[in-house]
Amino acid sequence: MVRVSKHASRRLKERCGLNKKSVQRMADIAFTNGMKQEDATGQLNRWMASLYCANMDANNIRIYGNYVYIFCGITLVTVLHVPHRLKNHVNEQKKRLVRNQEG
């Protein structure tokens, strides 16, 4: 089970519109099902690497939906929006991952 910091809880409520009960559930889903940096390629991978460089404690960055979940170990630290210019890259790479897992 993922721990959620107070800051991350506020950001999930603010940016994702979640209520208090949904915060823990969403953090768990993002941690288990989110796209890891090693699954990303190109511009998306470079952007995720820059997030890591900006937050050196963040050793686990996942993309789930249109949001980036930044974890330190198993603690969710914060949630950010995926930039609009990268949303198409996220969708393409998710489709690629699904095709690779099926076949």
Side-chain angles (χ1 to χ4, degrees):
M1 183 181 222
V2 174
R3 291 180 44 223
V4 180
S5 70
K6 288 181 183 178
H7 176 80
S9 180
R10 285 192 305 262
R11 292 300 169 255
L12 276 167
K13 290 175 188 176
E14 174 188 318
R15 295 182 176 144
C16 302
L18 300 178
N19 62 23
K20 193 173 183 178
K21 287 184 177 181
S22 300
V23 167
Q24 181 65 49
R25 184 172 55 241
M26 193 59 174
D28 290 333
I29 290 171
F31 187 78
T32 57
N33 299 337
M35 182 177 16
K36 302 174 191 172
Q37 183 177 353
E38 53 262 21
D39 296 335
T41 60
Q43 289 181 344
L44 189 59
N45 188 315
R46 287 191 294 277
W47 179 70
M48 290 176 81
S50 72
L51 287 177
Y52 171 74
C53 291
N55 307 290
M56 289 303 247
D57 291 338
N59 57 3
N60 205 344
I61 299 174
R62 307 287 174 112
I63 295 179
Y64 187 77
N66 289 325
Y67 299 97
V68 178
Y69 296 79
I70 299 179
F71 295 90
C72 179
I74 60 165
T75 303
L76 179 62
V77 179
T78 192
V79 179
L80 304 169
H81 290 281
V82 172
H84 186 71
R85 63 184 172 85
L86 294 175
K87 287 184 181 178
N88 287 336
H89 294 283
V90 171
N91 294 332
E92 290 170 9
Q93 292 184 26
K94 282 182 186 175
K95 288 178 187 175
R96 181 180 48 86
L97 288 173
V98 169
R99 279 196 310 265
N100 289 343
Q101 289 173 354
E102 289 174 352

